[in-house]
Amino acid sequence: MWGAMKVAKWGNSLAVRLPKALVEDLGLKPGNEVEVVSAAPERIALAKDERRQRAIERMRARAWSVPEDFVFDREEVNAR
């Protein structure tokens, strides 16, 4: 258990500061996203949102190789 967390006002929103132990358990870093995976009136469950990282990994896995003699010709590409 990570203990109680205080809800604070942040602009027009409310925010909760996550305890260091929870941040470490979830492997969070600044800029990471979290998602609420379940919620009830007195309890919420969070998970690290890794959809973006999985999408990047899928794109990298599909990377095509470019022939060594390939030359990008901007004029040819933009010709009408």
Side-chain angles (χ1 to χ4, degrees), residues 52-64:
R52 182 182 308 234
Q53 184 60 35
R54 287 192 303 266
I56 290 170
E57 290 168 3
R58 285 194 306 270
M59 287 186 277
R60 285 184 178 144
R62 293 183 180 133
W64 296 333

Side-chain angles (χ1 to χ4, degrees), residues 5-73:
M5 292 174 260
K6 185 181 281 188
V7 176
K9 185 124 174 94
W10 190 357
N12 291 328
S13 302
L14 296 178
V16 176
R17 181 178 285 185
L18 302 176
K20 182 179 179 183
L22 177 59
V23 169
E24 290 173 350
D25 286 351
L26 292 174
L28 296 174
K29 295 183 175 144
N32 285 153
E33 295 180 2
V34 293
E35 63 179 318
V36 176
V37 294
S38 69
E42 295 181 14
R43 182 178 304 261
I44 61 170
L46 298 178
K48 183 177 178 181
D49 186 351
E50 295 182 341
R51 290 178 294 177
R52 182 182 308 234
Q53 184 60 35
R54 287 192 303 266
I56 290 170
E57 290 168 3
R58 285 194 306 270
M59 287 186 277
R60 285 184 178 144
R62 293 183 180 133
W64 296 333
S65 60
V66 177
E68 288 184 31
D69 61 343
F70 177 78
V71 177
F72 178 78
D73 184 340

